[in-house]
Amino acid sequence: AKSIDYLSRRADDESWWAERQRRAVERLTPLFTRIVAMGARAGARMIARSGRKDEEDFIDEGEITRRVATWLEQEALGVAEMIAAAHAQSWWRALERTMRRDLLDAIVRSREEGWSVARTIEAVGDIFGEARARRIAVTETTRLFGAGAQASYRAAGITHWHWRTVEDDRVDETCIAKAAAGPYPMELEFSPAHVNCRCFNVPVTAAEQEALA
């Protein structure tokens, strides 16, 4: 009963959650920044090859257009930091809502169904555990990497992007449909289609952009 009372107090303790948010944002923002910056560099490489007829032919990073190379050098890190800081805040707020809801649900069910302490700990562990953290990590890496790539595409003046999957047997039907539906306007932010989404965004080719103009 003491364990349940402790969890119940934590679920409603605004100062406790505020401190968790402060720590999470402080630790995650530098990591998020690196992921966005990696996405920006990957996006620049995609731009460099987007004018070639053979899109599978990777070219040397030195062939990136001068415009995007300058952007990467002078502005990309600042853009990455802004994207990461904003995302860290919004990501935590959404995560906190879900965790608090699930925690309260576990507490209510524990009391109503007479769970043992071990069963309650197991349920709470699922909320804060490794499996959930892994799913979040994959999903948010996909989101932030895509945001960085899209920032490079905008800097280059590219107007549309394609949805791409990793093309293995784990790809979700939703992602296959999104890949078939493009191209998408640059105003539409790339976002994972589901938890554990591994998809990515690529720029339209030079020929496609000319046809879309």
Side-chain angles (χ1 to χ4, degrees):
K2 290 182 179 180
S3 298
I4 301 301
D5 288 341
Y6 173 82
L7 291 173
S8 183
R9 288 195 302 272
R10 282 290 178 256
D12 292 322
D13 188 342
E14 297 296 336
S15 62
W16 188 85
W17 287 100
E19 178 61 17
R20 301 286 84 69
Q21 176 179 359
R22 185 192 67 77
R23 293 183 183 182
V25 170
E26 183 179 86
R27 294 175 182 176
L28 288 174
T29 297
L31 173 61
F32 285 178
T33 299
R34 290 196 295 274
I35 296 171
V36 175
M38 288 170 59
R41 290 192 293 272
R45 289 194 293 273
M46 292 300 299
I47 293 166
R49 76 183 205 193
S50 64
R52 296 170 70 92
K53 292 181 180 179
D54 182 2
E55 289 189 274
E56 298 304 315
D57 185 11
F58 283 85
I59 65 176
D60 186 81
E61 192 170 348
E63 294 186 43
I64 294 172
T65 62
R66 185 183 304 276
R67 180 177 179 181
V68 178
T70 300
W71 179 81
L72 281 173
E73 181 179 349
Q74 298 179 359
E75 300 181 44
L77 181 59
V79 171
E81 288 173 344
M82 285 190 295
I83 292 173
H87 182 68
Q89 294 284 350
S90 61
W91 171 82
W92 173 261
R93 285 193 293 270
L95 181 64
E96 179 186 327
R97 283 195 299 271
T98 303
M99 288 194 300
R100 292 178 79 162
R101 181 197 65 207
D102 292 349
L103 180 56
L104 286 168
D105 181 62
I107 292 167
V108 170
R109 292 185 63 193
S110 174
R111 286 172 169 162
E112 289 180 347
E113 299 175 19
W115 289 355
S116 65
V117 172
R119 175 68 185 90
T120 304
I121 291 173
E122 180 184 355
V124 173
D126 290 341
I127 298 170
F128 297 97
E130 181 180 344
R132 186 173 196 164
R134 188 180 299 112
R135 292 193 299 271
I136 291 170
V138 171
T139 307
E140 297 312 310
T141 296
T142 296
R143 187 190 314 279
L144 292 165
F145 200 88
Q150 203 162 348
S152 281
Y153 304 158
R154 289 195 185 96
I158 294 172
T159 60
H160 291 73
W161 55 273
H162 287 290
W163 185 288
R164 291 285 186 264
T165 75
V166 296
E167 298 183 353
D168 63 18
D169 57 5
R170 294 166 52 200
V171 174
D172 190 272
E173 290 295 329
T174 301
C175 297
I176 294 172
K178 284 182 173 291
Y184 299 95
M186 199 57 65
E187 293 77 17
L188 181 64
E189 297 285 345
F190 172 81
S191 182
H194 55 83
V195 174
N196 270 341
C197 184
R198 299 166 296 143
C199 294
F200 56 99
N201 50 348
V202 301
V204 294
T205 64
E208 285 177 313
Q209 176 142 319
E210 185 176 344
L212 289 164

